[in-house]
Amino acid sequence: QVQLVESGGGLVQPGGSLRLSCAASGRIFSINAMGWYRQAPGKQRELVASLTDGGIIDYVASVRGRFTISRDNAKNTWYLQMNSLKPEDTAVYSCNAHISYDSGNYRRDFWGQGTQVIVSS
């Protein structure tokens, strides 16, 4: 089927940067939209950044100007560049994509396994 594998989380000091990656593999026909979510302890999961196949990008207000979502179509991979990180960015970050697979006969959302980001001095 399809798998999403994330990498790039870790511990960083306030003001630092991290880049998350999400690589999709399997019987992919097309990736229609992708995004990054996060969930902090005791809080609801929120959509941090999204990118459609038409190139429309959106960010939650709290990260606008600090985070950048991008994609490498050739590698079926997308990224979240996170700069000027703050302690309130601490969360488990998960990638998500709406993918058509098996020659386009099926489509649904897929999720990565999640990666921890901790912003602390």
Side-chain angles (χ1 to χ4, degrees):
Q1 219 185 42
V2 175
Q3 299 82 36
L4 304 186
V5 178
E6 299 178 31
S7 60
L11 173 64
V12 64
Q13 292 187 342
S17 297
L18 283 174
R19 189 176 82 154
L20 306 182
S21 300
C22 184
S25 62
R27 299 194 296 270
I28 298 168
F29 181 75
S30 64
I31 301 177
N32 307 311
M34 58 201 66
W36 290 95
Y37 289 75
R38 68 184 179 187
Q39 187 166 23
K43 294 188 177 181
Q44 288 189 329
R45 185 172 61 191
E46 66 173 349
L47 176 61
V48 176
S50 61
L51 171 60
T52 70
D53 57 350
I56 297 173
I57 295 175
D58 196 17
Y59 300 98
V60 68
S62 59
V63 308
R64 200 166 288 135
R66 300 188 297 122
F67 289 12
T68 302
I69 187 172
S70 62
R71 68 186 290 179
D72 184 332
N73 291 334
K75 296 181 179 179
N76 283 336
T77 299
W78 56 103
Y79 308 94
L80 185 67
Q81 178 67 43
M82 305 185 293
N83 298 330
S84 302
L85 282 160
K86 304 176 181 180
E88 51 263 43
D89 295 318
T90 295
V92 175
Y93 286 71
S94 300
C95 62
N96 165 272
H98 191 70
I99 296 176
S100 299
Y101 60 101
D102 283 354
S103 303
N105 292 319
Y106 304 96
R107 60 174 61 188
R108 69 170 179 89
D109 280 356
F110 290 88
W111 290 88
Q113 78 279 14
T115 186
Q116 178 75 57
V117 171
I118 300 174
V119 184
S120 175
S121 55

